[in-house]
Amino acid sequence: QGNQLYYFGSNGDAVTGLRHYDNNKLEYYGADHVQYRNRYYQEGNKFYYFGGNGDAITGLRHYGNNKLEYYGTDHVQYRNRYASQGNQLYYFGSNGDAVTGLRHYDNNKLEYYGADHVQYRNRYYQEGNKFYYFGGNGDAITGLRHYGNNKLEYYGTDHVQYRNRYASQGNQLYYFGSNGDADKAAADKAAAEKAAADKAAADKAAS
């Protein structure tokens, strides 16, 4: 009937609701018996999207202005969970959209998702004058990071890279320069100055 599609079951009646057919295919017919096309359907806390041919989609769905959703092999939209495509990882929020930007989760953990919604791994991210580094598991690192040819960086408990400041690890003092790399000469100088000051204080106390 025009652009409306119906399906009549074995008893001759037009069906309503979800209809599974063939090899893991799924359709939906409304209370008016018309097949859903290019629209969502919600059943309980499950969301489906039916494409232009009436089939429930699976996998990634790009829509709107750089928005992205994901539907599992059961056709249900992912919410508050990860999905991977090849070696790319995405996270879908409570509204079903893939997140972008920084994502805080669990106990002081931090991830970053680019404008393409893909999680950063083994790479830097700069926000204003703050630098972060995301490791192989996608989490922003804290503490010392050895890299390159004997280079060293440091990230605080807030995951931000130290620049132009000191950090101590155990009894070792480090100084991190304007590019974030440890400056051994500056740290040795500071350590020597501290030792001299401590000795002077001890001598003064002893006299």
Side-chain angles (χ1 to χ4, degrees):
Q1 285 294 100
N3 60 355
Q4 297 180 327
L5 195 74
Y6 305 85
Y7 185 82
F8 297 90
S10 57
N11 63 355
D13 289 337
V15 302
T16 60
L18 292 170
R19 175 179 173 256
H20 298 265
Y21 76 103
D22 286 356
N23 185 21
N24 193 34
K25 291 193 174 180
L26 182 64
E27 308 172 309
Y28 183 80
Y29 294 86
D32 60 357
H33 309 285
V34 176
Q35 187 191 67
Y36 275 30
R37 292 194 168 200
N38 299 314
R39 64 184 287 196
Y40 295 96
Y41 167 65
Q42 180 181 355
E43 187 171 84
N45 61 355
K46 295 179 180 178
F47 290 81
Y48 303 86
Y49 188 82
F50 298 90
N53 65 352
D55 286 337
I57 66 170
T58 60
L60 293 171
R61 174 180 175 253
H62 297 266
Y63 77 103
N65 184 19
N66 191 35
K67 292 192 175 181
L68 183 65
E69 307 171 313
Y70 186 83
Y71 295 84
T73 54
D74 60 356
H75 310 287
V76 176
Q77 187 190 74
Y78 275 31
R79 295 196 167 201
N80 299 315
R81 63 184 288 196
Y82 296 95
S84 60
Q85 293 280 282
N87 60 354
Q88 297 180 321
L89 194 73
Y90 304 87
Y91 186 83
F92 299 89
S94 58
N95 65 351
D97 286 337
V99 303
T100 59
L102 292 170
R103 175 180 174 253
H104 298 265
Y105 76 105
D106 286 355
N107 186 21
N108 192 35
K109 291 192 175 181
L110 182 65
E111 306 171 313
Y112 183 80
Y113 295 84
D116 61 356
H117 310 286
V118 176
Q119 188 190 72
Y120 274 32
R121 292 195 167 198
N122 300 314
R123 63 185 287 195
Y124 295 96
Y125 167 65
Q126 179 182 356
E127 187 170 85
N129 61 354
K130 295 178 180 178
F131 290 81
Y132 303 87
Y133 188 82
F134 299 90
N137 65 352
D139 286 336
I141 66 170
T142 60
L144 293 170
R145 175 179 175 253
H146 298 265
Y147 78 103
N149 184 19
N150 198 31
K151 292 190 174 181
L152 185 63
E153 307 171 312
Y154 185 82
Y155 295 84
T157 54
D158 61 355
H159 310 285
V160 177
Q161 186 190 73
Y162 274 31
R163 293 197 167 199
N164 300 315
R165 65 184 287 198
Y166 292 95
S168 58
Q169 290 281 283
N171 59 358
Q172 177 71 51
L173 186 69
Y174 300 90
Y175 182 78
F176 299 90
S178 58
N179 66 350
D181 286 337
D183 183 335
K184 190 172 187 308
D188 288 347
K189 182 170 179 282
E193 288 171 354
K194 184 176 185 301
D198 289 347
K199 183 176 185 300
D203 290 349
K204 186 177 181 185
S207 62

